[in-house]
PDB file of all heavy atoms in Angstrom:
ATOM      1  N   CYS A 238       4.517 -13.706 -13.625  1.00  0.00           N
ATOM      2  CA  CYS A 238       3.497 -14.640 -13.971  1.00  0.00           C
ATOM      3  C   CYS A 238       4.015 -15.909 -14.536  1.00  0.00           C
ATOM      4  O   CYS A 238       3.342 -16.928 -14.517  1.00  0.00           O
ATOM      5  CB  CYS A 238       2.494 -13.966 -15.018  1.00  0.00           C
ATOM      6  SG  CYS A 238       3.178 -13.803 -16.672  1.00  0.00           S
ATOM      7  N   GLY A 239       5.209 -15.863 -15.097  1.00  0.00           N
ATOM      8  CA  GLY A 239       5.831 -17.078 -15.570  1.00  0.00           C
ATOM      9  C   GLY A 239       5.337 -17.414 -17.009  1.00  0.00           C
ATOM     10  O   GLY A 239       5.867 -18.435 -17.591  1.00  0.00           O
ATOM     11  N   HIS A 240       4.525 -16.669 -17.595  1.00  0.00           N
ATOM     12  CA  HIS A 240       3.963 -17.123 -18.878  1.00  0.00           C
ATOM     13  C   HIS A 240       5.009 -17.171 -19.961  1.00  0.00           C
ATOM     14  O   HIS A 240       4.911 -17.979 -20.878  1.00  0.00           O
ATOM     15  CB  HIS A 240       2.875 -16.206 -19.334  1.00  0.00           C
ATOM     16  CG  HIS A 240       1.971 -16.840 -20.366  1.00  0.00           C
ATOM     17  ND1 HIS A 240       0.928 -17.600 -20.097  1.00  0.00           N
ATOM     18  CD2 HIS A 240       2.113 -16.882 -21.739  1.00  0.00           C
ATOM     19  CE1 HIS A 240       0.464 -18.094 -21.283  1.00  0.00           C
ATOM     20  NE2 HIS A 240       1.222 -17.670 -22.278  1.00  0.00           N
ATOM     21  N   CYS A 241       5.950 -16.329 -19.994  1.00  0.00           N
ATOM     22  CA  CYS A 241       6.993 -16.254 -21.068  1.00  0.00           C
ATOM     23  C   CYS A 241       8.072 -17.349 -20.850  1.00  0.00           C
ATOM     24  O   CYS A 241       9.100 -17.247 -21.504  1.00  0.00           O
ATOM     25  CB  CYS A 241       7.619 -14.905 -21.038  1.00  0.00           C
ATOM     26  SG  CYS A 241       8.573 -14.540 -19.545  1.00  0.00           S
ATOM     27  N   ASP A 242       7.771 -18.277 -19.919  1.00  0.00           N
ATOM     28  CA  ASP A 242       8.761 -19.337 -19.656  1.00  0.00           C
ATOM     29  C   ASP A 242       9.240 -20.079 -20.887  1.00  0.00           C
ATOM     30  O   ASP A 242       8.470 -20.486 -21.743  1.00  0.00           O
ATOM     31  CB  ASP A 242       8.066 -20.304 -18.664  1.00  0.00           C
ATOM     32  CG  ASP A 242       8.613 -21.723 -18.676  1.00  0.00           C
ATOM     33  OD1 ASP A 242       9.726 -21.845 -18.133  1.00  0.00           O
ATOM     34  OD2 ASP A 242       7.954 -22.624 -19.200  1.00  0.00           O
ATOM     35  N   ILE A 243      10.509 -20.347 -20.864  1.00  0.00           N
ATOM     36  CA  ILE A 243      11.098 -21.276 -21.835  1.00  0.00           C
ATOM     37  C   ILE A 243      12.087 -22.188 -21.165  1.00  0.00           C
ATOM     38  O   ILE A 243      13.173 -21.706 -20.757  1.00  0.00           O
ATOM     39  CB  ILE A 243      11.618 -20.454 -23.103  1.00  0.00           C
ATOM     40  CG1 ILE A 243      12.538 -21.390 -23.925  1.00  0.00           C
ATOM     41  CG2 ILE A 243      12.320 -19.216 -22.814  1.00  0.00           C
ATOM     42  CD1 ILE A 243      12.797 -20.813 -25.313  1.00  0.00           C
ATOM     43  N   ASP A 244      11.629 -23.265 -20.707  1.00  0.00           N
ATOM     44  CA  ASP A 244      12.366 -24.264 -19.958  1.00  0.00           C
ATOM     45  C   ASP A 244      12.952 -23.702 -18.698  1.00  0.00           C
ATOM     46  O   ASP A 244      14.144 -23.842 -18.411  1.00  0.00           O
ATOM     47  CB  ASP A 244      13.500 -24.825 -20.795  1.00  0.00           C
ATOM     48  CG  ASP A 244      12.979 -25.601 -22.049  1.00  0.00           C
ATOM     49  OD1 ASP A 244      11.971 -26.372 -21.915  1.00  0.00           O
ATOM     50  OD2 ASP A 244      13.466 -25.358 -23.095  1.00  0.00           O
ATOM     51  N   GLY A 245      12.131 -22.985 -17.938  1.00  0.00           N
ATOM     52  CA  GLY A 245      12.639 -22.356 -16.705  1.00  0.00           C
ATOM     53  C   GLY A 245      13.276 -21.079 -16.779  1.00  0.00           C
ATOM     54  O   GLY A 245      13.515 -20.417 -15.714  1.00  0.00           O
ATOM     55  N   PHE A 246      13.453 -20.531 -17.974  1.00  0.00           N
ATOM     56  CA  PHE A 246      13.925 -19.185 -18.169  1.00  0.00           C
ATOM     57  C   PHE A 246      12.788 -18.245 -18.459  1.00  0.00           C
ATOM     58  O   PHE A 246      11.828 -18.675 -19.232  1.00  0.00           O
ATOM     59  CB  PHE A 246      14.892 -19.118 -19.261  1.00  0.00           C
ATOM     60  CG  PHE A 246      16.250 -19.823 -18.962  1.00  0.00           C
ATOM     61  CD1 PHE A 246      16.446 -21.169 -19.408  1.00  0.00           C
ATOM     62  CD2 PHE A 246      17.283 -19.148 -18.266  1.00  0.00           C
ATOM     63  CE1 PHE A 246      17.629 -21.819 -19.124  1.00  0.00           C
ATOM     64  CE2 PHE A 246      18.426 -19.767 -18.043  1.00  0.00           C
ATOM     65  CZ  PHE A 246      18.702 -21.166 -18.445  1.00  0.00           C
ATOM     66  N   MET A 247      12.818 -17.078 -17.949  1.00  0.00           N
ATOM     67  CA  MET A 247      11.759 -16.104 -18.324  1.00  0.00           C
ATOM     68  C   MET A 247      12.280 -15.209 -19.423  1.00  0.00           C
ATOM     69  O   MET A 247      13.263 -14.426 -19.193  1.00  0.00           O
ATOM     70  CB  MET A 247      11.380 -15.332 -17.070  1.00  0.00           C
ATOM     71  CG  MET A 247      10.627 -16.139 -16.060  1.00  0.00           C
ATOM     72  SD  MET A 247      10.480 -15.122 -14.530  1.00  0.00           S
ATOM     73  CE  MET A 247      11.866 -15.735 -13.577  1.00  0.00           C
ATOM     74  N   ILE A 248      11.582 -15.126 -20.519  1.00  0.00           N
ATOM     75  CA  ILE A 248      11.979 -14.234 -21.600  1.00  0.00           C
ATOM     76  C   ILE A 248      11.963 -12.742 -21.053  1.00  0.00           C
ATOM     77  O   ILE A 248      12.952 -12.061 -21.423  1.00  0.00           O
ATOM     78  CB  ILE A 248      10.893 -14.346 -22.680  1.00  0.00           C
ATOM     79  CG1 ILE A 248      11.058 -15.555 -23.546  1.00  0.00           C
ATOM     80  CG2 ILE A 248      10.811 -13.025 -23.575  1.00  0.00           C
ATOM     81  CD1 ILE A 248      12.071 -15.305 -24.628  1.00  0.00           C
ATOM     82  N   CYS A 249      11.057 -12.451 -20.299  1.00  0.00           N
ATOM     83  CA  CYS A 249      10.919 -11.006 -19.924  1.00  0.00           C
ATOM     84  C   CYS A 249      11.865 -10.550 -18.923  1.00  0.00           C
ATOM     85  O   CYS A 249      12.132  -9.322 -18.732  1.00  0.00           O
ATOM     86  CB  CYS A 249       9.505 -10.732 -19.446  1.00  0.00           C
ATOM     87  SG  CYS A 249       9.076 -11.369 -17.783  1.00  0.00           S
TER      88      CYS A 249
END
Side-chain angles (χ1 to χ4, degrees):
Chain A
C238 73
H240 197 89
C241 64
D242 158 71
I243 163 167
D244 299 316
F246 292 94
M247 289 171 267
I248 280 279
C249 73

